[in-house]
Amino acid sequence: MFHRSLASALVVVFWATFLLTPADATVFGNVRGIVHDPQHHPIDGAEVTLQAAGSGYKRNAKTSGSGEFYFDAVPLGQYTITVQVPGFATQSQLLNVVSGAAPVLHYQLAVAAAKEEVTVTAAPADLNPDSPRRDLTISQRQIFDYAGVNSSNSLKMITNFVPGAYIVHDQLHVRGGHQVSWAIDGVPLPNTNIATNVGAQFNPRDISYLQAETGSYAAEYGERIYGLFNVAPNSGFERNREAELIAGVGNYGQTDNWLSFGDHTQKFAYYVSGSGNSTEFGLEPPTPVNLHNQAQGGGGFTSLLYNPNSRDQLRFDAGLRLDYFQVPNDPDMQADGINDRQREQDVFGLFTWVHTYSPGLMLVVSPFYHFNRAAYEGGPNDVPIATDNRGSNYEGGQITLSAVTKRHNARAGIYAFAQQDNHYFSVIANDGSGDQLTQRIFPKGNLEAVFLEDQFKATSWLTFTGGIRLTHFAGGVNENAADPRAGVAIRIPKLNWVLRAAYSYFYQPPPLDTVSGPLLEFAAQQGFSFLPLKGERDIQQEYGITIPLRGWTVTETYFHTAARNFFDHDALGNSNIFLPLTIQAARIQGWETTLRSPLLRNRFHAHLVYSHQTAQGAGAVTGGLTDFEPPEEGLFFLDHDQRDTVSAGTEAELPWRSFAAVSFNYGSGFLEEDGPSHLPAYHTFDLSVGRHFGENLVVRFVGTNLGDRRYQIDSANTFGGTHWNEARMLGVQVRYKFRY
């Protein structure tokens, strides 16, 4: 049955490649524009150049008889678009391209004076007047400047810039949930498992730009709704036979080293990197004392990009990540010689072909492979000794299609993958009884989704978005979902304020985890049973306003998520290893604020993100291990509920070729045990100070949690464990560039 389903999906994908209307994947944007003279007459044959900021990526075009120009398949990032016409002053605009957008630029050229000048205007950051979503773009410059953000296993590139994002029990939570999608070149790499990986999937140093979305997604996304992180990797266009070495050392035995190479010609670019890291403070410990907490890791990444002609682009991305963690001990566990470990592996390969048929019409085909492993291994002194080793293989692909016209930005496509797990679990009593239970299972599953969406620009100030995603999942259960999406964006003329609203349905497929045979019998003896895990179904409302003012951008957003079969997890003892389960219902709602500044006094940028939210569950356990206890009446708080979070920072270029970045983080405190009271509030400061020596050498000092403020994150709640935050981390980092 499984093979027939997979074969059917592949046949559909094959025929769709040839029969459906061409389009583009949303990692790309379409840049359009109109050029006219002072009397508003269109200018034919104007030279238009699109140049990436900080990269050699460059494209040229000429305007048509109607004064229009097009750039299709533009990767997300910052660009300068320059228009040159003999007899007119050259004019440029700075533009932040976000995935799926199709902005229209207007150029009214002035007659050239004796001395031509370039007029540069910049659109406020994160302002997409046609989208019902709020997009946040994080650049490599920000990733490098802020303390701790570019560390190999860091997720500060999310928690420092995305509202409502924080780390709880060593896992990223966004908007009250931990099911997030990582996409590369616009294609999500599937991982149906939740609460098993504690290591990062990408090294931040390999990322050119990161686009973060937390709701109101386009119809082509939706398997993990709480966060979507779209990675635009380094491509080699930013290098000319250049290599870059970053080496860092610090307290707690920190070492973090990374080496990359890149080069490009007019048609071809390559980028390759390798990294290695180690520390004696790897995970959140169960007490303020750091015991048994070493971690080592390493990985590699490559990007190959080839443009054989003006209509085609071929790209291959591949990554490898290996991590080893000791599970931290408390003093009693350390005295007993407890030696639990966690091993993780992540491997992926993604090929992308982009073909442009005509301006605004493209076809993108992206087959992929992804392997993910999480292996928890109990030590010989555990009572009992538990081993939980899961490996998941995913094979699939995405075909995305779009047609961009004056009023429409339409997309359609298919996303499908097959999954095969190899899951080994054992329990050894280790109490002299000789009892031992083992289980190895090979569950399989597959998912096929079809999506269709259009962004209709009714007027220059009013844009409607509508779409639908149809999903079929087959695994431990067979499920179908039809998820409509609707949104509107209203730009208030003259003020340029943007009002946004969206109403969306989502479906999240379940993990393939199950319990059978002797383990099921053992669970029954303990008063537990295992219910099949069903997919989570969510309804999300979002309303917001974005206000640009003198280059500043402030966005206010209200969201409300209602979930059925909400994914959570149950802790295995007092460790960082969890078993998935589902809760009958959940309600997550809150207000979010983002604030970003323009360049101030030619030296400073600043940002602030704030979230006030509640995360509550209701009802019984509907999937996973359960003892069938009657549920609490009404709503109860989830263990990762934290009402208020703030992250603010500023980066600055200082005299003597030096620079600095400081960030402030605040949390009002997570749930205390089963609540409703919460743990005390906390705040931390991070600092990065560096200096350029010549053109190729940078040295900087990095400090996180400078005040060494220790606080408890959670306290033995049903769905968590006990964890304390990271101690003060100090280090020195050297970045050196050289030719080869």
Side-chain angles (χ1 to χ4, degrees):
M1 182 67 181
F2 165 78
H3 294 290
R4 288 199 299 270
S5 298
L6 176 58
S8 299
L10 293 177
V11 169
V12 171
V13 171
F14 175 83
W15 283 107
T17 303
F18 295 97
L19 299 179
L20 293 178
T21 307
D24 77 318
T26 50
V27 71
F28 302 108
N30 298 73
V31 177
R32 303 172 290 167
I34 301 173
V35 181
H36 51 83
D37 63 18
Q39 285 74 43
H40 292 277
H41 297 144
I43 298 178
D44 184 16
E47 296 281 350
V48 185
T49 302
L50 180 145
Q51 175 69 59
S55 165
Y57 184 81
K58 183 178 180 180
R59 292 170 63 179
N60 298 290
K62 287 190 175 183
T63 56
S64 65
S66 58
E68 298 177 326
F69 64 86
Y70 290 86
F71 292 105
D72 295 317
V74 180
L76 64 91
Q78 188 177 76
Y79 296 86
T80 300
I81 297 91
T82 303
V83 176
Q84 293 178 307
V85 180
F88 293 89
T90 299
Q91 190 176 128
S92 298
Q93 291 191 55
L94 296 178
L95 178 67
N96 289 315
V97 175
V98 298
S99 63
V104 179
L105 306 180
H106 291 270
Y107 290 82
Q108 182 175 336
L109 301 185
V111 177
K115 181 181 179 180
E116 291 189 359
E117 296 182 355
V118 177
T119 302
V120 179
T121 58
D126 308 321
L127 179 64
N128 186 353
D130 298 325
S131 175
R133 297 176 291 278
R134 180 208 60 220
D135 298 303
L136 291 170
T137 302
I138 298 108
S139 68
Q140 176 57 228
R141 174 67 181 273
Q142 292 171 305
I143 291 173
F144 179 79
D145 280 359
Y146 282 92
V149 176
N150 76 337
S151 299
S152 291
N153 256 326
S154 174
L155 288 170
K156 283 180 174 287
M157 61 182 171
I158 308 298
T159 58
N160 272 22
F161 299 99
V162 178
Y166 40 73
I167 304 295
V168 186
H169 34 252
D170 294 301
Q171 294 175 347
L172 177 67
H173 289 66
V174 182
R175 281 195 173 183
H178 41 59
Q179 297 89 263
V180 302
S181 289
W182 287 89
I184 186 165
D185 285 347
V187 181
L189 296 176
N191 187 358
T192 63
N193 302 287
I194 66 168
T196 57
N197 293 104
V198 294
Q201 187 170 338
F202 292 96
N203 191 314
R205 297 165 184 171
D206 293 321
I207 298 174
S208 177
Y209 285 91
L210 178 73
Q211 182 175 318
E213 299 179 22
T214 53
S216 308
Y217 308 121
E220 65 185 299
Y221 299 119
E223 266 67 62
R224 290 287 181 261
I225 79 154
Y226 293 98
L228 171 64
F229 306 110
N230 204 346
V231 172
N234 296 330
S235 66
F237 273 109
E238 63 277 356
R239 307 283 185 92
N240 290 297
R241 293 197 66 182
E242 290 177 319
E244 184 173 333
L245 170 69
I246 296 180
V249 296
N251 62 337
Y252 289 100
Q254 296 179 79
T255 61
D256 194 354
N257 305 312
W258 173 84
L259 178 64
S260 66
F261 299 87
D263 190 20
H264 76 278
T265 64
Q266 186 175 358
K267 291 187 175 183
F268 177 71
Y270 71 86
Y271 169 86
V272 61
S273 72
S275 64
N277 61 279
S278 65
T279 181
E280 295 173 1
F281 203 121
L283 300 176
E284 295 169 342
T287 70
V289 181
N290 184 54
L291 299 171
H292 192 261
N293 199 8
Q294 293 183 0
Q296 294 87 34
F301 179 82
T302 187
S303 173
L304 307 175
L305 196 153
Y306 179 54
N307 297 309
N309 52 60
S310 62
R311 291 180 176 270
D312 293 284
Q313 181 182 108
L314 305 175
R315 184 164 187 164
F316 176 72
D317 298 303
L320 164 69
R321 184 76 200 166
L322 306 173
D323 287 290
Y324 165 84
F325 301 93
Q326 292 180 331
V327 178
N329 288 338
D330 62 27
D332 292 337
M333 297 164 65
Q334 188 74 6
D336 292 338
I338 301 301
N339 184 24
D340 296 351
R341 303 169 301 278
Q342 169 89 350
R343 293 185 296 111
E344 297 187 3
Q345 299 170 324
D346 196 90
V347 183
F348 69 86
L350 169 69
F351 175 78
T352 300
W353 171 47
V354 184
H355 179 72
T356 302
Y357 289 89
S358 61
L361 295 176
M362 290 184 297
L363 166 68
V364 177
V365 180
S366 301
F368 60 75
Y369 168 76
H370 185 207
F371 172 77
N372 180 267
R373 179 183 300 282
Y376 169 73
E377 299 168 339
N381 294 329
D382 288 0
V383 180
I385 302 172
T387 301
D388 186 4
N389 187 329
R390 174 201 51 79
S392 300
N393 288 277
Y394 304 87
E395 309 89 15
Q398 176 172 289
I399 299 174
T400 313
L401 312 116
S402 77
V404 178
T405 64
K406 289 183 179 180
R407 287 199 170 191
H408 295 273
N409 182 4
R411 293 185 296 277
I414 297 171
Y415 178 78
F417 66 82
Q419 177 183 352
Q420 309 91 42
D421 279 9
N422 182 342
H423 198 165
Y424 173 77
F425 194 92
S426 74
V427 178
I428 301 173
N430 205 26
D431 58 1
S433 66
D435 292 340
Q436 180 174 345
L437 302 171
T438 63
Q439 172 181 283
R440 184 180 291 275
I441 57 174
F442 301 92
K444 297 179 180 180
N446 57 279
L447 179 143
E448 299 87 30
V450 178
F451 55 87
L452 174 67
E453 183 173 79
D454 186 25
Q455 194 176 83
F456 174 65
K457 198 171 185 64
T459 68
S460 62
W461 52 269
L462 177 62
T463 304
F464 294 100
T465 299
I468 190 168
R469 184 179 182 90
L470 305 175
T471 305
H472 170 71
F473 174 78
V477 296
N478 291 341
E479 296 183 319
N480 297 301
D483 297 327
R485 316 275 171 87
V488 62
I490 303 172
R491 181 181 59 84
I492 301 177
K494 296 184 180 180
L495 291 176
N496 286 325
W497 294 11
V498 179
L499 303 175
R500 299 175 290 106
Y503 191 86
S504 307
Y505 282 68
F506 297 94
Y507 167 77
Q508 302 187 69
L512 298 181
D513 289 5
T514 187
V515 174
S516 61
L519 282 180
L520 186 58
E521 295 176 7
F522 174 77
Q525 293 172 6
Q526 308 301 313
F528 288 87
S529 184
F530 188 89
L531 299 176
L533 290 162
K534 297 181 180 180
E536 180 177 328
R537 298 174 188 261
D538 305 270
I539 301 176
Q540 187 180 82
Q541 306 174 51
E542 184 168 320
Y543 310 94
I545 181 171
T546 300
I547 302 174
L549 181 63
R550 296 184 179 180
W552 291 78
T553 305
V554 59
T555 298
E556 292 285 341
T557 303
Y558 169 78
F559 74 94
H560 180 284
T561 301
R564 287 188 294 127
N565 293 321
F566 176 77
F567 286 134
D568 213 309
H569 45 73
D570 198 351
L572 183 62
N574 194 27
S575 72
N576 293 274
I577 312 304
F578 306 98
L579 301 175
L581 54 80
T582 55
I583 301 172
Q584 183 176 339
R587 184 184 70 186
I588 305 169
Q589 58 185 344
W591 285 93
E592 297 173 341
T593 300
T594 63
L595 175 68
R596 290 202 177 189
S597 79
L599 183 63
L600 304 173
R601 298 183 179 273
N602 293 319
R603 290 185 182 274
F604 301 90
H605 277 107
H607 73 274
L608 179 146
V609 295
Y610 166 72
S611 172
H612 174 82
Q613 70 176 24
T614 59
Q616 297 171 284
V621 172
T622 58
L625 286 175
T626 177
D627 58 4
F628 297 102
E629 286 188 2
E632 298 181 32
E633 293 185 5
L635 293 167
F636 58 87
F637 289 107
L638 301 173
D639 66 322
H640 47 261
D641 179 77
Q642 180 170 238
R643 303 300 170 78
D644 298 285
T645 55
V646 178
S647 180
T650 181
E651 68 264 26
E653 293 290 338
L654 303 176
W656 304 296
R657 305 195 66 196
S658 60
F659 62 92
V662 60
S663 56
F664 166 78
N665 293 279
Y666 166 83
S668 59
F670 294 95
L671 193 71
E672 184 172 14
E673 297 186 352
D674 293 325
S677 60
H678 285 64
L679 294 166
Y682 58 89
H683 65 271
T684 61
F685 286 93
D686 302 338
L687 175 66
S688 170
V689 180
R691 188 178 188 276
H692 295 264
F693 295 88
E695 296 299 321
N696 298 322
L697 179 64
V698 178
V699 179
R700 69 170 185 151
F701 164 81
V702 177
T704 59
N705 189 12
L706 287 176
D708 200 23
R709 300 182 66 90
R710 305 305 307 279
Y711 55 88
Q712 197 171 11
I713 297 174
D714 46 12
S715 53
N717 191 354
T718 305
F719 300 139
T722 303
H723 300 83
W724 286 67
N725 71 309
E726 185 179 75
R728 175 170 52 209
M729 296 291 176
L730 305 175
V732 176
Q733 192 174 87
V734 176
R735 184 175 72 180
Y736 179 64
K737 297 181 179 180
F738 59 93
R739 302 291 295 273
Y740 60 90

